[in-house]
Each structure stands twice: as structure tokens, then as C-alpha cells.
Amino acid sequence: MSYHVQKCGTRMGVAVAAAVMLLSFLQPAGAEEFVNTGYFGDIAIKGYDPVAYFTENQAVEGSETYSYHWLGATWYFASARNRDLFKGDPSRYAPQYGGYCADGVSFGTVTTNIDPKAWRIIDGKLYLSYDPGAAEGMEKNPTKVTDSKKHWSEVQQTLISEKMHTVWQQPATK
């Protein structure tokens, strides 16, 4: 019994250390550590172009033709120009909190399901929400932005825990 506990504790410690190293070394300065790709797949913002929110002031569906892989997710763009703008400064265009619902983050919760058409740019930053009412609330209530910044680190810990739980549910390889 004690061997099993020791072995599991060691595996957990190694996995946590590996996750921390991966996050600290692979992330560009200022980048979000997690990208919301929904429940399945690896497409960020459900395939919408993050640059278009800034350049066209609207949600525009991107295309696989103009895609770019960043932070473990595939980002779609409406044009090569938008893709290249993103490549040059992804942190400028990427949504806050990795594209998780900013309203949910303001309460310290993870809301994976977002509506790419429910968004606001506040102080030059893109915030996505699960519905238009939540996006409007982010804009009208400045404390929501402050609260989401305050709660983001605990939400990140929840995401790490969920990811680790998923890893531990997978069968061990021999």
C-alpha cells in the first residue's frame, strides 16, 4: 500500500513539475497559458478571426486556408493579412483569458462554451462571453473586468487540475 501511494505521489509530482516547466518555457511573454478550444478539437474561438474584432469591429468567421497554430490551438483568419497581423503580435489580438468566457472568469468559474458573436473590446483587449447579455455586462460594469483579472489565477489552477485529472484517467502505458 505505501509503495502504491509513494509511486502515485511521485508520478503526480513529476507530472506537475513537467506541466509547470512546459507552461513557463513555451509561453511567449504576456501570453495566455490556456486556449479555449471548446469540448472537442483544437480550433480557437470556434473558428472566428480574432483580428477581425479589431479591424472590422465585428465577429467574422475565419477559414482553414488562413490558419496559424499558436499555444496548442489552431486559429482561423478571414485573410492572409489578418493571419500575418496575428503572427506578428498574437497577444495583441488573442482574447483575454484564453478565450474562456470573461463573465464566468469574473466569478472565478470556467465557462468553456462561448458565443464568438458575444464580445467586447475594452481598453484595447478582446473579451468573449457565453451570450450577448454577458458581453454587455462586461462593458457596462467595469468591476467585472477587475474581478476577472483578480480571479484568473484561480481559474487557471482549476484548468490545470482538470487537465491533470484527465491525464490521470488515461490508462498507463507499459
Side-chain angles (χ1 to χ4, degrees):
M1 178 101 170
S2 71
Y3 170 74
H4 176 71
V5 170
Q6 183 180 8
K7 183 177 178 183
C8 288
T10 302
R11 283 182 64 196
M12 176 77 97
V14 170
V16 169
V20 169
M21 281 186 5
L22 180 66
L23 291 174
S24 64
F25 290 115
L26 294 181
Q27 302 296 324
E32 297 296 343
E33 296 174 358
F34 299 93
V35 176
N36 181 4
T37 58
Y39 296 107
F40 308 103
D42 73 340
I43 309 299
I45 318 178
K46 296 186 175 182
Y48 278 71
D49 180 340
V51 175
Y53 292 103
F54 293 90
T55 60
E56 298 182 37
N57 200 34
Q58 64 180 339
V60 175
E61 287 188 65
S63 167
E64 187 176 1
T65 303
Y66 308 111
S67 63
Y68 178 64
H69 194 76
W70 182 65
L71 293 182
T74 303
W75 300 75
Y76 285 177
F77 302 90
S79 67
R81 178 183 178 275
N82 283 6
R83 181 197 58 215
D84 294 343
L85 283 170
F86 187 86
K87 278 184 179 181
D89 192 1
S91 294
R92 176 179 178 187
Y93 298 106
Q96 297 301 289
Y97 316 118
Y100 287 92
C101 175
D103 188 59
V105 173
S106 76
F107 292 103
T109 62
V110 176
T111 306
T112 302
N113 195 26
I114 52 109
D115 177 355
K117 294 179 182 176
W119 62 278
R120 291 294 187 274
I121 294 176
I122 302 169
D123 295 329
K125 303 289 184 187
L126 175 60
Y127 295 88
L128 299 174
S129 296
Y130 68 93
D131 73 18
E136 186 177 333
M138 287 295 293
E139 184 176 43
K140 288 185 176 180
N141 188 351
T143 61
K144 285 199 172 265
V145 173
T146 304
D147 290 345
S148 61
K149 288 176 184 176
K150 180 175 70 177
H151 289 296
W152 178 232
S153 63
E154 70 187 67
V155 170
Q156 287 175 307
Q157 290 305 312
T158 300
L159 291 167
I160 289 170
S161 295
E162 288 176 359
K163 184 167 240 155
M164 295 306 297
H165 182 72
T166 301
V167 167
W168 290 112
Q169 287 181 339
Q170 296 173 357
T173 56
K174 293 184 180 185

